[in-house]
Amino acid sequence: MQRNEMVPAWAGALAGLVAGGVALGVAQLVAGLVGPETFPVVAVGDVTVDLTPAPVKDFAITTFGENDKTVLVGGVLVVLALIAALIGVLARRRPAYGVAGLAAFGVVGLLAVLTRPDAGMLDALPTVAGVAVGAWALLWLLRRATVSTPAAAAAPAGTAERPSQVEPPAEAERPAEAEPRAGVERPAEVEWPAVMRAGADLRAFDRRRLLTGVAGGVVVAGAAAVIGRQLGGRQAVDAARVSLALPKPATPAKPVPAGADLRINGITPFFTKNQDFYRVDTALVVPQVDPNEWKLRIHGLVDRPVELTYADLLKMPLTEADITLTCVSNEVGGELAGNARWLGVRMSEVLRRAGLRSDADMLLSTSADGFTCGTPVDVVMDGREALYAIAMNGEALPVDHGFPVRQVVPGLYGYVSATKWVVDVKVTRFDRDEAYWTPRGWAAKGPIKTQSRIDVPKSGDSLKAGRATIAGVAWAQHTGVDAVEVRVDREQWRQAKLAEVPGPDTWRQWSIDWDLTPGEHTIQVRATDAAGRTQVEQEAPPAPDGATGWHTITVKVA
């Protein structure tokens, strides 16, 4: 297509947006065949997560919670849309600009894809295919946006059409023009070069053809993206998960006492439903791991390296345990904690098979997506119910929570213990290896700090004067909560009633009745663990090893 200045800027931007959508749709389609992690948007997002400083990551989790990854991917897509629109605007004048812009976009995607751990050359295929088809779509849309117009029809009245290759006659060769007669208007002079340009390349913008092409491009982009997601393997993994028959535990969980749930309206229930359980991880695309292909490799400072299949794991004695997990990014009073009944094989049993060497003090576990975390060996081997879990609340692990196998270790924050989709464990030392979050500013070891939270009432609630119930949960995993105290308007602390618990590894509900008087009141809570340690009042952010402070809310009473 020759240079064309008839396409307006908005049309070029629209063509660029649609071409960008086609590029991403085709890339998604091919990634469905090669592997979901090779989709360039995901790869760029993963790099963004890896390069994000700890304070920014903490801000994202605090602000957006479990939607942080959705916001990140949305932000990447918005940036890509703006770039695609700009490429379209430039390409309407010089098609080469559009091709070059899409190629540059492809280079960024390729770098993100190919710098992933274990990346191969085949992983580049989705990006290359997407850019190639996107460039073709952009040029096709711009061609559709213009139509050739006969030069004669466009030439000014009274002007003869002349071959474009004929040079205009020299001034001296032109016939002398007679003076116009009185009363006769002389025809307007026509600039010869303008006429010649019109005859050479006269094109006009065609809105209808552009919009029909845009509609077709949108359909192609959407269909390719949908098919690509279906090919990504989630349906097959979901089917394998649903059909799984869970073995019965050799060691069932302790019975939950009747008084474990105080049944107060608004309080956090003792067990968290799977669909409500918090999820914080670095995976923009949830790994799809076929249990029939899953293997767990134990190596490093061991006497006998071990490799287990999923079938091997199911044949081992299974343990059932109620354990509360907590994210290190949880703010004081936050909701990044959940309690579930887990089923799995004791990690200590698997590690004994491998034969731990005496100088080992760290388990560097790796997820199927390359994430790593470092767990202290002594914590796993001290007798607590640290599990390679296969089930959660009576069903196979949800894919989002680590199916087919994840780690669950009571007493440690998730970033140093709860590896999802775990496939590899290197037995090593903290002075030799670092896990994912350690070089990013987080502590190498993350024992959980005692915390308490007010669930009822909520901060900002308006209450009626008189007797009111204040209630919530407290946790100090693997130590246990021994007392919870509440105070209003910084007056004397009062002991709250504690619910029963099956053991020290779960949170504990608490409640207290209070006579509230009209006005604005501040309510605070603090917990003391079974070792006699009371929450510190000093407030500290989550980084580098967990937040501290007393949960404080304000209510209005009328």
Side-chain angles (χ1 to χ4, degrees), residues 270-284:
F270 180 72
F271 283 118
T272 307
K273 294 180 180 179
N274 288 357
Q275 61 266 30
D276 298 331
F277 208 96
Y278 80 94
R279 179 198 161 199
V280 176
D281 50 53
T282 62
L284 293 183

Side-chain angles (χ1 to χ4, degrees), residues 254-264 267-271 322 341 497-503 506 508-509:
K254 297 176 182 178
V256 177
D261 198 321
L262 298 178
R263 302 187 183 281
I264 297 171
I267 197 172
T268 300
F270 180 72
F271 283 118
D322 299 334
R341 173 162 290 183
K497 172 187 175 182
L498 295 178
E500 298 295 324
V501 287
T506 69
R508 195 168 193 176
Q509 292 184 354

Side-chain angles (χ1 to χ4, degrees), residues 214-274:
V214 163
V218 170
V219 170
V220 170
V226 170
I227 295 173
R229 289 179 64 86
Q230 291 179 340
L231 292 174
R234 174 125 197 177
Q235 290 182 332
V237 172
D238 282 340
R241 174 184 170 274
V242 171
S243 63
L244 180 67
L246 295 174
K248 292 184 178 180
T251 306
K254 297 176 182 178
V256 177
D261 198 321
L262 298 178
R263 302 187 183 281
I264 297 171
N265 187 30
I267 197 172
T268 300
F270 180 72
F271 283 118
T272 307
K273 294 180 180 179
N274 288 357

Side-chain angles (χ1 to χ4, degrees), residues 333-349:
E335 298 182 352
L336 299 181
N339 185 57
R341 173 162 290 183
W342 308 92
L343 176 67
V345 175
R346 286 180 177 267
M347 295 173 63
S348 57
E349 175 65 22

Side-chain angles (χ1 to χ4, degrees), residues 301-302 356-362 427-432:
L301 298 178
V302 297
L356 297 179
R357 296 182 185 175
S358 59
D359 58 337
D361 65 3
M362 175 194 188
V427 181
T428 180
R429 295 185 53 81
F430 281 100
D431 58 6
R432 297 181 186 176

Side-chain angles (χ1 to χ4, degrees), residues 9 42 45 79 94-95 120 165 206 278 297 301 310 368 371 373 380-381 436-437 459 481 488:
V42 171
V79 171
R94 286 287 187 273
Q165 69 271 21
D206 191 321
Y278 80 94
R297 178 177 174 235
L301 298 178
Y310 193 66
F371 171 81
C373 86
V380 173
M381 304 299 292
Y436 181 90
W437 284 116
S459 188
V481 173
V488 178

